[in-house]
Amino acid sequence: MRHFFFGGVNPAPHKESTRRKPIARMERQPSQVVIPLVMSTGEAATPAVKPGDRVAIGQPIALGQGLSASAHASVSGRVVAIEERPHPWGGVCEAILLENDGRNTPWSGRPEPLDPTQVTRELLLARVREAGITGMGGGAYSTAEKLRQAAGRVDTLIVNAAECEPYITADHRLLLERSDKILQGAQTLARALGAQRAVLVTEGDKLNAAEAVERRLRKRSGKVELCTIGTRYPLGAEKQVVQTVTGREVPPGGTPLEVKCVVLNVATVFAIQESLFRGKALTHRTVTVTGGAVARPRNLWVPIGTPLRCLLEEAGGLREKADLILTGGPMMGTPQPDLEVPVIKSTNGLLCLTGQERRPADQESVCIRCGKCVAACPMHLAPVFISQAVRQNELRKLPKLHPEDCMECGCCSYICPARIPLVELVRQAGQLLEKGGQAQ
Ligand code: SF4
Ligand code: SF4
């Protein structure tokens, strides 16, 4: 294991309540699912069904083009409406509402499983596009597009199972329970993309999963390397993982492709494996339902489109008032005021924090120039100067401070003793720069 200076912070992991809980199917299926037409970067997908149509699991119901991904029915039943609904990323978005008939009928047009030895680059790209796969670790970028750009240009495929956000154990459980399929997916991907190395990265606190992978590796002939990294947050972020595995630094504003790497989240690799060898579209995913306010924290296998409310009910509801509800982890998650919003392809967790668990909401005070935000920033930025430039409207200083390189990891806000909302101010600075540095 190599060591680099990354900055970062050490938040309490809080993974104990779900790390030993196997992924469970939902006992009560949702009566209705809401499939937004936007679940990836790019334009909204175009509906391929109309109200009244009958659908089966895996049937394409909205077609993506270019950067956007297609969407598929995650339950069998009937289309009830296509209308605007609240979206977990904020605001509203057109969505297809499906009434669940509870029969779990699979779509008869499901593509045939492929023979592992016959997966060509073209077949891989076509199958991944057809299955509507997107980044499932938060990025939500079209996976078909990412693979198209990477094909023939990368020497290293990195499967990221680091899952460094506190509380979330969805990827940990998937790696532990489906390691064989994930390794098969990684080998197939590396071969089809022309990458010489395939490296699976996990954090040191997932020893049981790493052992499971090692056992499988001993039995497999193909080569996948296992790399265990430290548990410091955000060592598992894309650019940090590339540097740990290859020693190469992704240039500011660049992507891993520029240093001949492609990084895929472990759940994405599992979805690719399912699409290739079982003909399955991306209709379900693992979601960790946790936090001190949740009665029975657990890991669930959830149909995409399930309202967050149903996940919470499946976990026994709230045992005490939640002070903050988020999708994702506490560092980079998105607050969710409305539990009717659905699980989408990038939703890895539903987190319900008590007042005690939340970072103390002290009053903001003045900067004491301690430099902790600078030391913690994994992108080597100076959040203190960026925030001051924004607040004092000294926007001409921004270009040299490169707020556009911020990965919104939240380390600066987390560490700041003055409780200055640094990540929001750095984000604001990036937006101002994009608009040409005009004052608000
Ligand atoms: S400035 Fe951005 S990248 Fe740096 S610590 Fe803050 S949120 Fe993370
Ligand atoms: S961590 Fe907060 S108090 Fe310390 S230098 Fe940065 S902004 Fe100022």
Side-chain angles (χ1 to χ4, degrees):
M1 180 168 58
R2 287 199 193 87
H3 293 279
F4 293 92
F5 174 72
F6 282 123
V9 291
N10 275 321
H14 292 291
K15 297 196 187 230
E16 275 310 311
S17 52
T18 55
R19 63 188 304 159
R20 290 185 187 82
K21 303 260 177 78
I23 301 166
R25 289 189 176 271
M26 292 181 71
E27 281 153 30
R28 279 160 297 171
Q29 288 290 315
S31 57
Q32 201 175 75
V33 295
V34 178
I35 312 275
L37 296 180
V38 174
M39 287 194 274
S40 63
T41 48
E43 302 284 302
T46 309
V49 289
K50 55 184 187 320
D53 285 356
R54 294 211 65 80
V55 293
I57 295 178
Q59 181 177 334
I61 56 171
L63 303 177
Q65 51 273 308
L67 283 181
S68 68
S70 295
H72 301 74
S74 57
V75 297
S76 60
R78 196 172 57 89
V79 180
V80 255
I82 301 178
E83 61 185 34
E84 285 196 335
R85 284 293 180 117
H87 195 283
W89 291 342
V92 292
C93 166
E94 256 204 305
I96 301 174
L97 274 59
L98 304 178
E99 188 180 68
N100 187 358
D101 64 11
R103 292 191 194 131
N104 293 324
T105 314
W107 184 45
S108 55
R110 197 155 124 175
E112 286 296 313
L114 297 173
D115 180 328
T117 58
Q118 290 171 344
V119 179
T120 61
R121 191 173 291 175
E122 291 68 32
L123 269 178
L124 167 74
L125 296 182
R127 192 55 77 88
V128 169
R129 187 169 291 284
E130 203 179 343
I133 300 172
T134 66
M136 295 172 74
Y141 193 76
S142 154
T143 303
E145 191 53 28
K146 193 174 199 175
L147 296 179
R148 188 188 65 75
Q149 292 167 11
R153 280 181 64 191
V154 296
D155 59 19
T156 308
L157 162 75
I158 299 175
V159 179
N160 192 354
E163 199 169 49
C164 59
E165 269 269 10
Y167 288 92
I168 311 296
T169 58
D171 285 352
H172 178 180
R173 290 306 313 185
L174 193 68
L175 182 61
L176 183 62
E177 296 174 36
R178 303 280 186 275
S179 49
D180 217 16
K181 290 188 168 192
I182 290 161
L183 290 173
Q184 185 190 32
Q187 278 176 331
T188 309
L189 275 162
R191 200 179 55 241
L193 294 176
Q196 288 91 58
R197 284 182 83 194
V199 186
L200 194 149
V201 176
T202 185
E203 275 197 343
D205 63 349
K206 299 174 184 59
L207 268 186
N208 54 355
E211 281 164 11
V213 169
E214 270 172 349
R215 274 198 301 277
R216 298 284 191 290
L217 281 175
R218 279 198 288 274
K219 287 188 197 158
R220 287 195 156 269
S221 49
K223 285 234 165 64
V224 177
E225 299 165 43
L226 177 65
C227 172
T228 307
I229 61 173
T231 51
R232 195 169 170 81
Y233 177 89
L235 267 177
E238 192 169 80
K239 292 182 180 179
Q240 280 65 27
V241 160
V242 169
Q243 190 164 15
T244 308
V245 170
T246 65
R248 304 172 195 159
E249 195 166 340
V250 179
T255 70
L257 276 185
E258 283 156 67
V259 291
K260 296 189 164 197
C261 294
V262 60
V263 183
L264 295 170
N265 168 265
V266 68
T268 310
V269 173
F270 178 67
I272 293 172
Q273 201 274 355
E274 290 270 280
S275 76
L276 295 174
F277 305 127
R278 295 185 72 193
K280 284 190 164 185
L282 176 49
T283 58
H284 289 65
R285 68 153 299 143
T286 315
V287 183
T288 303
V289 186
T290 188
V294 174
R296 278 192 304 129
R298 53 199 308 211
N299 285 300
L300 293 170
W301 185 245
V302 179
I304 307 285
T306 304
L308 299 181
R309 169 183 48 81
C310 299
L311 269 63
L312 196 51
E313 285 167 9
E314 199 70 14
L318 292 174
R319 63 177 180 172
E320 65 178 278
K321 185 178 172 302
D323 211 49
L324 178 65
I325 298 185
L326 304 154
T327 44
M331 301 297 286
M332 293 180 84
T334 310
Q336 299 296 345
D338 181 356
L339 286 183
E340 290 307 315
V341 302
V343 166
I344 58 172
K345 294 174 183 181
S346 54
T347 311
N348 58 359
L350 173 63
L351 182 57
C352 305
L353 298 175
T354 63
Q356 273 187 332
E357 281 177 302
R358 258 189 103 170
R359 191 166 171 269
D362 296 351
Q363 281 283 306
E364 182 184 327
S365 56
V366 291
C367 170
I368 56 169
R369 303 236 161 206
C370 63
K372 286 185 176 173
C373 57
V374 180
C377 180
M379 300 307 290
H380 309 293
L381 302 178
V384 53
F385 297 132
I386 299 173
S387 61
Q388 282 168 1
V390 170
R391 285 190 159 168
Q392 291 161 8
N393 218 11
E394 292 184 314
L395 304 182
R396 69 194 157 73
K397 291 187 178 168
L398 288 182
K400 282 192 178 159
L401 294 168
H402 297 290
E404 73 280 10
D405 290 345
C406 171
M407 56 187 271
E408 301 192 10
C409 66
C411 289
C412 50
S413 291
Y414 176 84
I415 205 80
C416 175
R419 306 281 187 252
I420 298 169
L422 294 168
V423 63
E424 281 83 12
L425 289 163
V426 177
R427 188 184 300 137
Q428 217 177 316
Q431 288 163 354
L432 285 168
L433 259 192
E434 234 178 68
K435 285 191 220 148
Q438 289 145 23
Q440 314 139 70

